[in-house]
Amino acid sequence: MLIHGHEIKGKGIDKETRCLHYHSEIDRIAIKFYCCDTYFPCFSCHEEVGCTHPQVWPKNQFHQKAVLCGACGYELTINEYLSCNSTCPTCKSAFNPGCNIHQHLYFEV
């Protein structure tokens, strides 16, 4: 699905990147996976329709844009995302703070 000019892959995606697995009001980011350079709403979508070799972003690449705000389309660097207090720095839309428990699935910790 094309959202804010970016292809997002996954299951049951809406216009703000919510998916079949995570679809509350504040589930509005997609994460570009390091292994396949493709945006997915969540790790489950990546497992189901992504590449077969998941890899996390290494710390030395945290300056790369890899998180998409589904509300406004702003691409955050990983550093921006990790320090944004679950709020888009551009449009101020809230992100799900619970995503923090899954950081190890996306980023080197």
Side-chain angles (χ1 to χ4, degrees), residues 26-62:
I26 56 176
D27 289 314
R28 63 168 49 95
I29 64 163
I31 298 175
K32 185 184 292 183
F33 275 72
Y34 181 72
C35 46
C36 55
D37 198 39
T38 304
Y39 275 112
F40 292 86
C42 73
F43 64 92
S44 294
C45 282
H46 182 260
E47 286 176 356
E48 293 174 12
V49 299
C51 73
T52 58
H53 299 47
Q55 296 177 358
V56 298
W57 283 92
K59 287 183 181 182
N60 67 356
Q61 295 293 310
F62 281 16

PDB file of all heavy atoms in Angstrom, residues 26-62:
ATOM      1  N   ILE A  26      -3.279   5.037  18.318  1.00  0.00           N
ATOM      2  CA  ILE A  26      -1.896   5.533  18.356  1.00  0.00           C
ATOM      3  C   ILE A  26      -0.888   4.614  17.661  1.00  0.00           C
ATOM      4  O   ILE A  26       0.302   4.892  17.669  1.00  0.00           O
ATOM      5  CB  ILE A  26      -1.454   5.821  19.814  1.00  0.00           C
ATOM      6  CG1 ILE A  26      -1.619   4.591  20.698  1.00  0.00           C
ATOM      7  CG2 ILE A  26      -2.186   7.026  20.365  1.00  0.00           C
ATOM      8  CD1 ILE A  26      -1.124   4.776  22.122  1.00  0.00           C
ATOM      9  N   ASP A  27      -1.355   3.555  17.039  1.00  0.00           N
ATOM     10  CA  ASP A  27      -0.477   2.686  16.248  1.00  0.00           C
ATOM     11  C   ASP A  27      -0.369   3.285  14.850  1.00  0.00           C
ATOM     12  O   ASP A  27      -1.102   2.920  13.941  1.00  0.00           O
ATOM     13  CB  ASP A  27      -1.027   1.256  16.183  1.00  0.00           C
ATOM     14  CG  ASP A  27      -0.902   0.533  17.497  1.00  0.00           C
ATOM     15  OD1 ASP A  27       0.172   0.606  18.111  1.00  0.00           O
ATOM     16  OD2 ASP A  27      -1.889  -0.096  17.919  1.00  0.00           O
ATOM     17  N   ARG A  28       0.554   4.240  14.705  1.00  0.00           N
ATOM     18  CA  ARG A  28       0.626   4.972  13.444  1.00  0.00           C
ATOM     19  C   ARG A  28       2.044   5.169  12.935  1.00  0.00           C
ATOM     20  O   ARG A  28       2.366   6.192  12.353  1.00  0.00           O
ATOM     21  CB  ARG A  28      -0.099   6.310  13.553  1.00  0.00           C
ATOM     22  CG  ARG A  28       0.495   7.283  14.553  1.00  0.00           C
ATOM     23  CD  ARG A  28      -0.078   8.690  14.426  1.00  0.00           C
ATOM     24  NE  ARG A  28      -1.485   8.768  14.388  1.00  0.00           N
ATOM     25  CZ  ARG A  28      -2.266   8.996  15.454  1.00  0.00           C
ATOM     26  NH1 ARG A  28      -1.742   9.178  16.633  1.00  0.00           N
ATOM     27  NH2 ARG A  28      -3.564   9.040  15.322  1.00  0.00           N
ATOM     28  N   ILE A  29       2.878   4.187  13.136  1.00  0.00           N
ATOM     29  CA  ILE A  29       4.203   4.258  12.515  1.00  0.00           C
ATOM     30  C   ILE A  29       4.441   2.998  11.689  1.00  0.00           C
ATOM     31  O   ILE A  29       3.834   1.958  11.925  1.00  0.00           O
ATOM     32  CB  ILE A  29       5.360   4.409  13.533  1.00  0.00           C
ATOM     33  CG1 ILE A  29       5.459   3.192  14.438  1.00  0.00           C
ATOM     34  CG2 ILE A  29       5.243   5.706  14.304  1.00  0.00           C
ATOM     35  CD1 ILE A  29       6.777   3.077  15.175  1.00  0.00           C
ATOM     36  N   ALA A  30       5.327   3.142  10.724  1.00  0.00           N
ATOM     37  CA  ALA A  30       5.855   1.988  10.000  1.00  0.00           C
ATOM     38  C   ALA A  30       7.371   2.054  10.164  1.00  0.00           C
ATOM     39  O   ALA A  30       7.944   3.142  10.242  1.00  0.00           O
ATOM     40  CB  ALA A  30       5.460   2.038   8.531  1.00  0.00           C
ATOM     41  N   ILE A  31       7.990   0.908  10.231  1.00  0.00           N
ATOM     42  CA  ILE A  31       9.430   0.842  10.424  1.00  0.00           C
ATOM     43  C   ILE A  31      10.061   0.181   9.203  1.00  0.00           C
ATOM     44  O   ILE A  31       9.608  -0.876   8.755  1.00  0.00           O
ATOM     45  CB  ILE A  31       9.781   0.060  11.710  1.00  0.00           C
ATOM     46  CG1 ILE A  31       9.200   0.794  12.916  1.00  0.00           C
ATOM     47  CG2 ILE A  31      11.291  -0.118  11.837  1.00  0.00           C
ATOM     48  CD1 ILE A  31       9.360   0.083  14.228  1.00  0.00           C
ATOM     49  N   LYS A  32      11.090   0.833   8.681  1.00  0.00           N
ATOM     50  CA  LYS A  32      11.840   0.273   7.561  1.00  0.00           C
ATOM     51  C   LYS A  32      12.787  -0.781   8.133  1.00  0.00           C
ATOM     52  O   LYS A  32      13.593  -0.497   9.010  1.00  0.00           O
ATOM     53  CB  LYS A  32      12.634   1.363   6.857  1.00  0.00           C
ATOM     54  CG  LYS A  32      13.349   0.881   5.611  1.00  0.00           C
ATOM     55  CD  LYS A  32      14.210   1.963   5.005  1.00  0.00           C
ATOM     56  CE  LYS A  32      13.378   3.086   4.437  1.00  0.00           C
ATOM     57  NZ  LYS A  32      14.225   4.120   3.778  1.00  0.00           N
ATOM     58  N   PHE A  33      12.661  -1.987   7.641  1.00  0.00           N
ATOM     59  CA  PHE A  33      13.514  -3.062   8.130  1.00  0.00           C
ATOM     60  C   PHE A  33      14.874  -3.002   7.451  1.00  0.00           C
ATOM     61  O   PHE A  33      14.976  -2.850   6.228  1.00  0.00           O
ATOM     62  CB  PHE A  33      12.851  -4.427   7.907  1.00  0.00           C
ATOM     63  CG  PHE A  33      11.907  -4.797   9.005  1.00  0.00           C
ATOM     64  CD1 PHE A  33      10.685  -4.156   9.141  1.00  0.00           C
ATOM     65  CD2 PHE A  33      12.251  -5.765   9.935  1.00  0.00           C
ATOM     66  CE1 PHE A  33       9.829  -4.476  10.168  1.00  0.00           C
ATOM     67  CE2 PHE A  33      11.391  -6.093  10.967  1.00  0.00           C
ATOM     68  CZ  PHE A  33      10.171  -5.447  11.087  1.00  0.00           C
ATOM     69  N   TYR A  34      15.900  -3.113   8.252  1.00  0.00           N
ATOM     70  CA  TYR A  34      17.282  -3.028   7.782  1.00  0.00           C
ATOM     71  C   TYR A  34      17.588  -4.104   6.737  1.00  0.00           C
ATOM     72  O   TYR A  34      18.247  -3.845   5.737  1.00  0.00           O
ATOM     73  CB  TYR A  34      18.227  -3.157   8.980  1.00  0.00           C
ATOM     74  CG  TYR A  34      19.690  -3.063   8.632  1.00  0.00           C
ATOM     75  CD1 TYR A  34      20.244  -1.841   8.269  1.00  0.00           C
ATOM     76  CD2 TYR A  34      20.505  -4.179   8.680  1.00  0.00           C
ATOM     77  CE1 TYR A  34      21.594  -1.743   7.952  1.00  0.00           C
ATOM     78  CE2 TYR A  34      21.854  -4.083   8.369  1.00  0.00           C
ATOM     79  CZ  TYR A  34      22.386  -2.862   8.004  1.00  0.00           C
ATOM     80  OH  TYR A  34      23.722  -2.766   7.692  1.00  0.00           O
ATOM     81  N   CYS A  35      17.069  -5.282   6.960  1.00  0.00           N
ATOM     82  CA  CYS A  35      17.388  -6.431   6.116  1.00  0.00           C
ATOM     83  C   CYS A  35      16.843  -6.315   4.703  1.00  0.00           C
ATOM     84  O   CYS A  35      17.444  -6.829   3.762  1.00  0.00           O
ATOM     85  CB  CYS A  35      16.872  -7.708   6.764  1.00  0.00           C
ATOM     86  SG  CYS A  35      15.191  -7.579   7.392  1.00  0.00           S
ATOM     87  N   CYS A  36      15.730  -5.651   4.517  1.00  0.00           N
ATOM     88  CA  CYS A  36      15.114  -5.610   3.190  1.00  0.00           C
ATOM     89  C   CYS A  36      14.792  -4.196   2.715  1.00  0.00           C
ATOM     90  O   CYS A  36      14.196  -4.045   1.651  1.00  0.00           O
ATOM     91  CB  CYS A  36      13.879  -6.497   3.146  1.00  0.00           C
ATOM     92  SG  CYS A  36      12.645  -6.137   4.402  1.00  0.00           S
ATOM     93  N   ASP A  37      15.159  -3.173   3.529  1.00  0.00           N
ATOM     94  CA  ASP A  37      14.960  -1.787   3.138  1.00  0.00           C
ATOM     95  C   ASP A  37      13.502  -1.514   2.758  1.00  0.00           C
ATOM     96  O   ASP A  37      13.225  -0.798   1.799  1.00  0.00           O
ATOM     97  CB  ASP A  37      15.913  -1.424   1.995  1.00  0.00           C
ATOM     98  CG  ASP A  37      16.076   0.066   1.816  1.00  0.00           C
ATOM     99  OD1 ASP A  37      16.137   0.791   2.827  1.00  0.00           O
ATOM    100  OD2 ASP A  37      16.130   0.519   0.651  1.00  0.00           O
ATOM    101  N   THR A  38      12.585  -2.093   3.510  1.00  0.00           N
ATOM    102  CA  THR A  38      11.158  -1.998   3.223  1.00  0.00           C
ATOM    103  C   THR A  38      10.407  -1.646   4.498  1.00  0.00           C
ATOM    104  O   THR A  38      10.718  -2.167   5.573  1.00  0.00           O
ATOM    105  CB  THR A  38      10.640  -3.342   2.666  1.00  0.00           C
ATOM    106  OG1 THR A  38      11.416  -3.686   1.515  1.00  0.00           O
ATOM    107  CG2 THR A  38       9.180  -3.273   2.286  1.00  0.00           C
ATOM    108  N   TYR A  39       9.406  -0.786   4.354  1.00  0.00           N
ATOM    109  CA  TYR A  39       8.576  -0.403   5.497  1.00  0.00           C
ATOM    110  C   TYR A  39       7.498  -1.447   5.776  1.00  0.00           C
ATOM    111  O   TYR A  39       6.827  -1.930   4.852  1.00  0.00           O
ATOM    112  CB  TYR A  39       7.881   0.931   5.230  1.00  0.00           C
ATOM    113  CG  TYR A  39       8.706   2.137   5.567  1.00  0.00           C
ATOM    114  CD1 TYR A  39       9.175   2.982   4.578  1.00  0.00           C
ATOM    115  CD2 TYR A  39       8.992   2.454   6.895  1.00  0.00           C
ATOM    116  CE1 TYR A  39       9.916   4.108   4.888  1.00  0.00           C
ATOM    117  CE2 TYR A  39       9.739   3.572   7.218  1.00  0.00           C
ATOM    118  CZ  TYR A  39      10.192   4.398   6.217  1.00  0.00           C
ATOM    119  OH  TYR A  39      10.931   5.509   6.539  1.00  0.00           O
ATOM    120  N   PHE A  40       7.328  -1.750   7.068  1.00  0.00           N
ATOM    121  CA  PHE A  40       6.267  -2.617   7.564  1.00  0.00           C
ATOM    122  C   PHE A  40       5.687  -1.965   8.817  1.00  0.00           C
ATOM    123  O   PHE A  40       6.421  -1.336   9.580  1.00  0.00           O
ATOM    124  CB  PHE A  40       6.809  -4.004   7.951  1.00  0.00           C
ATOM    125  CG  PHE A  40       7.275  -4.818   6.787  1.00  0.00           C
ATOM    126  CD1 PHE A  40       8.568  -4.687   6.310  1.00  0.00           C
ATOM    127  CD2 PHE A  40       6.431  -5.718   6.162  1.00  0.00           C
ATOM    128  CE1 PHE A  40       9.023  -5.431   5.236  1.00  0.00           C
ATOM    129  CE2 PHE A  40       6.874  -6.476   5.087  1.00  0.00           C
ATOM    130  CZ  PHE A  40       8.165  -6.329   4.621  1.00  0.00           C
ATOM    131  N   PRO A  41       4.386  -2.166   9.091  1.00  0.00           N
ATOM    132  CA  PRO A  41       3.804  -1.615  10.318  1.00  0.00           C
ATOM    133  C   PRO A  41       4.320  -2.278  11.589  1.00  0.00           C
ATOM    134  O   PRO A  41       4.350  -1.653  12.641  1.00  0.00           O
ATOM    135  CB  PRO A  41       2.305  -1.878  10.169  1.00  0.00           C
ATOM    136  CG  PRO A  41       2.081  -2.132   8.731  1.00  0.00           C
ATOM    137  CD  PRO A  41       3.361  -2.725   8.224  1.00  0.00           C
ATOM    138  N   CYS A  42       4.740  -3.544  11.485  1.00  0.00           N
ATOM    139  CA  CYS A  42       5.170  -4.255  12.695  1.00  0.00           C
ATOM    140  C   CYS A  42       6.002  -5.474  12.327  1.00  0.00           C
ATOM    141  O   CYS A  42       6.058  -5.895  11.172  1.00  0.00           O
ATOM    142  CB  CYS A  42       3.961  -4.666  13.533  1.00  0.00           C
ATOM    143  SG  CYS A  42       2.986  -6.031  12.845  1.00  0.00           S
ATOM    144  N   PHE A  43       6.612  -6.059  13.338  1.00  0.00           N
ATOM    145  CA  PHE A  43       7.447  -7.241  13.135  1.00  0.00           C
ATOM    146  C   PHE A  43       6.627  -8.435  12.668  1.00  0.00           C
ATOM    147  O   PHE A  43       7.118  -9.271  11.903  1.00  0.00           O
ATOM    148  CB  PHE A  43       8.237  -7.586  14.410  1.00  0.00           C
ATOM    149  CG  PHE A  43       7.384  -7.976  15.578  1.00  0.00           C
ATOM    150  CD1 PHE A  43       7.079  -9.299  15.815  1.00  0.00           C
ATOM    151  CD2 PHE A  43       6.891  -7.011  16.439  1.00  0.00           C
ATOM    152  CE1 PHE A  43       6.288  -9.669  16.900  1.00  0.00           C
ATOM    153  CE2 PHE A  43       6.108  -7.362  17.524  1.00  0.00           C
ATOM    154  CZ  PHE A  43       5.797  -8.698  17.747  1.00  0.00           C
ATOM    155  N   SER A  44       5.375  -8.537  13.094  1.00  0.00           N
ATOM    156  CA  SER A  44       4.530  -9.657  12.660  1.00  0.00           C
ATOM    157  C   SER A  44       4.244  -9.577  11.166  1.00  0.00           C
ATOM    158  O   SER A  44       4.275 -10.593  10.467  1.00  0.00           O
ATOM    159  CB  SER A  44       3.218  -9.684  13.450  1.00  0.00           C
ATOM    160  OG  SER A  44       3.464  -9.962  14.802  1.00  0.00           O
ATOM    161  N   CYS A  45       3.970  -8.370  10.670  1.00  0.00           N
ATOM    162  CA  CYS A  45       3.764  -8.201   9.223  1.00  0.00           C
ATOM    163  C   CYS A  45       5.035  -8.584   8.471  1.00  0.00           C
ATOM    164  O   CYS A  45       4.977  -9.245   7.433  1.00  0.00           O
ATOM    165  CB  CYS A  45       3.385  -6.757   8.901  1.00  0.00           C
ATOM    166  SG  CYS A  45       1.661  -6.332   9.257  1.00  0.00           S
ATOM    167  N   HIS A  46       6.188  -8.196   9.004  1.00  0.00           N
ATOM    168  CA  HIS A  46       7.452  -8.554   8.348  1.00  0.00           C
ATOM    169  C   HIS A  46       7.646 -10.059   8.332  1.00  0.00           C
ATOM    170  O   HIS A  46       8.068 -10.636   7.327  1.00  0.00           O
ATOM    171  CB  HIS A  46       8.633  -7.866   9.041  1.00  0.00           C
ATOM    172  CG  HIS A  46       9.941  -8.149   8.391  1.00  0.00           C
ATOM    173  ND1 HIS A  46      10.823  -9.086   8.890  1.00  0.00           N
ATOM    174  CD2 HIS A  46      10.518  -7.638   7.278  1.00  0.00           C
ATOM    175  CE1 HIS A  46      11.886  -9.125   8.110  1.00  0.00           C
ATOM    176  NE2 HIS A  46      11.732  -8.255   7.122  1.00  0.00           N
ATOM    177  N   GLU A  47       7.309 -10.721   9.427  1.00  0.00           N
ATOM    178  CA  GLU A  47       7.432 -12.183   9.483  1.00  0.00           C
ATOM    179  C   GLU A  47       6.533 -12.853   8.456  1.00  0.00           C
ATOM    180  O   GLU A  47       6.901 -13.857   7.859  1.00  0.00           O
ATOM    181  CB  GLU A  47       7.073 -12.700  10.879  1.00  0.00           C
ATOM    182  CG  GLU A  47       8.119 -12.430  11.924  1.00  0.00           C
ATOM    183  CD  GLU A  47       7.686 -12.877  13.319  1.00  0.00           C
ATOM    184  OE1 GLU A  47       6.534 -13.341  13.496  1.00  0.00           O
ATOM    185  OE2 GLU A  47       8.505 -12.744  14.242  1.00  0.00           O
ATOM    186  N   GLU A  48       5.342 -12.286   8.251  1.00  0.00           N
ATOM    187  CA  GLU A  48       4.355 -12.921   7.378  1.00  0.00           C
ATOM    188  C   GLU A  48       4.564 -12.628   5.892  1.00  0.00           C
ATOM    189  O   GLU A  48       4.314 -13.500   5.066  1.00  0.00           O
ATOM    190  CB  GLU A  48       2.944 -12.495   7.797  1.00  0.00           C
ATOM    191  CG  GLU A  48       2.562 -13.039   9.154  1.00  0.00           C
ATOM    192  CD  GLU A  48       1.232 -12.516   9.669  1.00  0.00           C
ATOM    193  OE1 GLU A  48       0.473 -11.908   8.891  1.00  0.00           O
ATOM    194  OE2 GLU A  48       0.955 -12.713  10.869  1.00  0.00           O
ATOM    195  N   VAL A  49       5.004 -11.410   5.543  1.00  0.00           N
ATOM    196  CA  VAL A  49       5.097 -11.060   4.118  1.00  0.00           C
ATOM    197  C   VAL A  49       6.431 -10.424   3.737  1.00  0.00           C
ATOM    198  O   VAL A  49       6.601  -9.988   2.601  1.00  0.00           O
ATOM    199  CB  VAL A  49       3.937 -10.136   3.673  1.00  0.00           C
ATOM    200  CG1 VAL A  49       2.595 -10.804   3.858  1.00  0.00           C
ATOM    201  CG2 VAL A  49       3.964  -8.802   4.394  1.00  0.00           C
ATOM    202  N   GLY A  50       7.385 -10.386   4.657  1.00  0.00           N
ATOM    203  CA  GLY A  50       8.677  -9.760   4.384  1.00  0.00           C
ATOM    204  C   GLY A  50       9.721 -10.758   3.946  1.00  0.00           C
ATOM    205  O   GLY A  50       9.413 -11.875   3.537  1.00  0.00           O
ATOM    206  N   CYS A  51      10.959 -10.334   4.055  1.00  0.00           N
ATOM    207  CA  CYS A  51      12.068 -11.209   3.678  1.00  0.00           C
ATOM    208  C   CYS A  51      12.212 -12.319   4.721  1.00  0.00           C
ATOM    209  O   CYS A  51      11.608 -12.264   5.782  1.00  0.00           O
ATOM    210  CB  CYS A  51      13.360 -10.410   3.536  1.00  0.00           C
ATOM    211  SG  CYS A  51      14.098  -9.855   5.087  1.00  0.00           S
ATOM    212  N   THR A  52      13.023 -13.261   4.416  1.00  0.00           N
ATOM    213  CA  THR A  52      13.176 -14.410   5.325  1.00  0.00           C
ATOM    214  C   THR A  52      14.426 -14.318   6.182  1.00  0.00           C
ATOM    215  O   THR A  52      14.772 -15.265   6.862  1.00  0.00           O
ATOM    216  CB  THR A  52      13.217 -15.722   4.519  1.00  0.00           C
ATOM    217  OG1 THR A  52      14.298 -15.647   3.584  1.00  0.00           O
ATOM    218  CG2 THR A  52      11.916 -15.956   3.782  1.00  0.00           C
ATOM    219  N   HIS A  53      15.104 -13.149   6.174  1.00  0.00           N
ATOM    220  CA  HIS A  53      16.348 -12.992   6.916  1.00  0.00           C
ATOM    221  C   HIS A  53      16.308 -11.718   7.761  1.00  0.00           C
ATOM    222  O   HIS A  53      17.013 -10.752   7.461  1.00  0.00           O
ATOM    223  CB  HIS A  53      17.532 -12.932   5.953  1.00  0.00           C
ATOM    224  CG  HIS A  53      17.699 -14.159   5.123  1.00  0.00           C
ATOM    225  ND1 HIS A  53      16.687 -14.784   4.456  1.00  0.00           N
ATOM    226  CD2 HIS A  53      18.803 -14.896   4.862  1.00  0.00           C
ATOM    227  CE1 HIS A  53      17.142 -15.835   3.817  1.00  0.00           C
ATOM    228  NE2 HIS A  53      18.425 -15.935   4.045  1.00  0.00           N
ATOM    229  N   PRO A  54      15.472 -11.655   8.803  1.00  0.00           N
ATOM    230  CA  PRO A  54      15.365 -10.422   9.589  1.00  0.00           C
ATOM    231  C   PRO A  54      16.692 -10.021  10.230  1.00  0.00           C
ATOM    232  O   PRO A  54      17.424 -10.866  10.737  1.00  0.00           O
ATOM    233  CB  PRO A  54      14.319 -10.753  10.655  1.00  0.00           C
ATOM    234  CG  PRO A  54      14.219 -12.230  10.685  1.00  0.00           C
ATOM    235  CD  PRO A  54      14.663 -12.733   9.349  1.00  0.00           C
ATOM    236  N   GLN A  55      16.983  -8.718  10.123  1.00  0.00           N
ATOM    237  CA  GLN A  55      18.167  -8.140  10.755  1.00  0.00           C
ATOM    238  C   GLN A  55      17.760  -6.811  11.365  1.00  0.00           C
ATOM    239  O   GLN A  55      16.929  -6.099  10.815  1.00  0.00           O
ATOM    240  CB  GLN A  55      19.274  -7.889   9.728  1.00  0.00           C
ATOM    241  CG  GLN A  55      19.818  -9.122   9.084  1.00  0.00           C
ATOM    242  CD  GLN A  55      20.856  -8.779   8.019  1.00  0.00           C
ATOM    243  OE1 GLN A  55      21.135  -7.622   7.743  1.00  0.00           O
ATOM    244  NE2 GLN A  55      21.421  -9.798   7.408  1.00  0.00           N
ATOM    245  N   VAL A  56      18.370  -6.479  12.491  1.00  0.00           N
ATOM    246  CA  VAL A  56      18.073  -5.206  13.149  1.00  0.00           C
ATOM    247  C   VAL A  56      19.043  -4.133  12.665  1.00  0.00           C
ATOM    248  O   VAL A  56      20.134  -4.433  12.169  1.00  0.00           O
ATOM    249  CB  VAL A  56      18.139  -5.326  14.686  1.00  0.00           C
ATOM    250  CG1 VAL A  56      17.094  -6.313  15.196  1.00  0.00           C
ATOM    251  CG2 VAL A  56      19.536  -5.728  15.152  1.00  0.00           C
ATOM    252  N   TRP A  57      18.626  -2.879  12.817  1.00  0.00           N
ATOM    253  CA  TRP A  57      19.497  -1.753  12.466  1.00  0.00           C
ATOM    254  C   TRP A  57      20.665  -1.693  13.443  1.00  0.00           C
ATOM    255  O   TRP A  57      20.458  -1.643  14.657  1.00  0.00           O
ATOM    256  CB  TRP A  57      18.713  -0.438  12.552  1.00  0.00           C
ATOM    257  CG  TRP A  57      17.796  -0.214  11.395  1.00  0.00           C
ATOM    258  CD1 TRP A  57      16.480  -0.566  11.308  1.00  0.00           C
ATOM    259  CD2 TRP A  57      18.121   0.428  10.168  1.00  0.00           C
ATOM    260  NE1 TRP A  57      15.969  -0.187  10.097  1.00  0.00           N
ATOM    261  CE2 TRP A  57      16.961   0.432   9.377  1.00  0.00           C
ATOM    262  CE3 TRP A  57      19.287   1.003   9.667  1.00  0.00           C
ATOM    263  CZ2 TRP A  57      16.924   0.990   8.105  1.00  0.00           C
ATOM    264  CZ3 TRP A  57      19.248   1.555   8.397  1.00  0.00           C
ATOM    265  CH2 TRP A  57      18.079   1.542   7.629  1.00  0.00           C
ATOM    266  N   PRO A  58      21.911  -1.679  12.937  1.00  0.00           N
ATOM    267  CA  PRO A  58      23.064  -1.527  13.831  1.00  0.00           C
ATOM    268  C   PRO A  58      23.150  -0.092  14.347  1.00  0.00           C
ATOM    269  O   PRO A  58      22.715   0.850  13.675  1.00  0.00           O
ATOM    270  CB  PRO A  58      24.264  -1.868  12.943  1.00  0.00           C
ATOM    271  CG  PRO A  58      23.794  -1.677  11.545  1.00  0.00           C
ATOM    272  CD  PRO A  58      22.305  -1.872  11.550  1.00  0.00           C
ATOM    273  N   LYS A  59      23.699   0.074  15.533  1.00  0.00           N
ATOM    274  CA  LYS A  59      23.786   1.398  16.166  1.00  0.00           C
ATOM    275  C   LYS A  59      24.490   2.424  15.290  1.00  0.00           C
ATOM    276  O   LYS A  59      24.130   3.593  15.299  1.00  0.00           O
ATOM    277  CB  LYS A  59      24.485   1.303  17.526  1.00  0.00           C
ATOM    278  CG  LYS A  59      23.618   0.668  18.576  1.00  0.00           C
ATOM    279  CD  LYS A  59      24.306   0.651  19.930  1.00  0.00           C
ATOM    280  CE  LYS A  59      23.405  -0.029  20.947  1.00  0.00           C
ATOM    281  NZ  LYS A  59      24.002  -0.037  22.282  1.00  0.00           N
ATOM    282  N   ASN A  60      25.450   1.997  14.521  1.00  0.00           N
ATOM    283  CA  ASN A  60      26.172   2.960  13.687  1.00  0.00           C
ATOM    284  C   ASN A  60      25.347   3.451  12.492  1.00  0.00           C
ATOM    285  O   ASN A  60      25.814   4.276  11.713  1.00  0.00           O
ATOM    286  CB  ASN A  60      27.517   2.394  13.218  1.00  0.00           C
ATOM    287  CG  ASN A  60      27.394   1.239  12.251  1.00  0.00           C
ATOM    288  OD1 ASN A  60      26.309   0.753  11.940  1.00  0.00           O
ATOM    289  ND2 ASN A  60      28.535   0.768  11.776  1.00  0.00           N
ATOM    290  N   GLN A  61      24.123   2.968  12.363  1.00  0.00           N
ATOM    291  CA  GLN A  61      23.219   3.396  11.295  1.00  0.00           C
ATOM    292  C   GLN A  61      21.990   4.142  11.827  1.00  0.00           C
ATOM    293  O   GLN A  61      21.047   4.397  11.083  1.00  0.00           O
ATOM    294  CB  GLN A  61      22.759   2.184  10.481  1.00  0.00           C
ATOM    295  CG  GLN A  61      23.870   1.489   9.730  1.00  0.00           C
ATOM    296  CD  GLN A  61      24.436   2.372   8.635  1.00  0.00           C
ATOM    297  OE1 GLN A  61      23.714   2.930   7.826  1.00  0.00           O
ATOM    298  NE2 GLN A  61      25.758   2.513   8.629  1.00  0.00           N
ATOM    299  N   PHE A  62      21.999   4.497  13.106  1.00  0.00           N
ATOM    300  CA  PHE A  62      20.837   5.151  13.714  1.00  0.00           C
ATOM    301  C   PHE A  62      20.591   6.556  13.172  1.00  0.00           C
ATOM    302  O   PHE A  62      19.580   7.171  13.475  1.00  0.00           O
ATOM    303  CB  PHE A  62      20.967   5.189  15.231  1.00  0.00           C
ATOM    304  CG  PHE A  62      20.625   3.885  15.918  1.00  0.00           C
ATOM    305  CD1 PHE A  62      20.543   2.683  15.226  1.00  0.00           C
ATOM    306  CD2 PHE A  62      20.408   3.864  17.285  1.00  0.00           C
ATOM    307  CE1 PHE A  62      20.235   1.495  15.870  1.00  0.00           C
ATOM    308  CE2 PHE A  62      20.090   2.673  17.945  1.00  0.00           C
ATOM    309  CZ  PHE A  62      20.007   1.491  17.232  1.00  0.00           C
TER     310      PHE A  62
END
